[in-house]
């Protein structure tokens, strides 16, 4: 009797990243909203949640400012918001795979 052993299937790797690292136009899902550092205001997470940045929501960057520290325009749900980079850095997202045509 022959037995073949299959290699173990690797567990999926969490590919979450900061919203600021997402490429322009790439669709993603919000994973979490947490303060990026201790200097972030305590109410920042609540403010972002009120805007709709909640786990599971679809999000994408629709525009970036011309300068390195300029705000970014983010589309979530039916709204578009301008976020400062320190605000966007508080949002962790997981990019979605492109849908086949």
């Amino acid at each position: 009797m022959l037995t073949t052993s299959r290699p173990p299937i690797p567990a999926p790797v969490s590919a979450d990243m900061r919203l600021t690292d997402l490429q322009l136009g790439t669709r993603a899902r919000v994973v979490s909203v947490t303060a990026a550092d201790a200097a972030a205001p305590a109410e920042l997470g609540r403010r972002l949640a009120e805007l709709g940045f909640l786990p599971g929501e679809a999000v994408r960057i629709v525009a970036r400012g011309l300068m390195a520290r300029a705000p970014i325009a983010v589309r979530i749900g039916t709204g578009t918001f301008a976020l400062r980079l320190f605000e966007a850095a508080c949002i962790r997202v997981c990019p979605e795979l492109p849908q086949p045509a």
Side-chain angles (χ1 to χ4, degrees):
M1 177 164 149
L2 270 178
T3 58
T4 59
S5 63
R6 295 183 188 182
I9 298 172
V13 177
S14 176
D16 67 325
M17 63 175 65
R18 295 181 306 173
L19 180 59
T20 53
D21 297 332
L22 192 65
Q23 293 294 318
L24 184 69
T26 303
R27 295 181 189 274
R29 294 274 172 190
V30 175
V31 174
S32 65
V33 178
T34 57
D37 58 25
E43 68 275 354
L44 180 60
R46 187 184 80 242
R47 179 179 168 272
L48 291 171
E50 288 172 352
L51 292 176
F53 293 92
L54 299 168
E57 290 294 321
V59 64
R60 68 184 165 100
I61 296 176
V62 294
R64 290 186 183 272
L66 297 177
M67 298 184 299
R69 299 198 52 161
I72 59 175
V74 179
R75 181 96 172 153
I76 187 159
T78 58
T80 303
F81 302 96
L83 296 179
R84 293 172 283 190
L85 294 181
F86 82 89
E87 294 169 324
C90 296
I91 302 168
R92 302 289 297 184
V93 298
C94 183
E96 292 184 340
L97 297 176
Q99 298 297 325

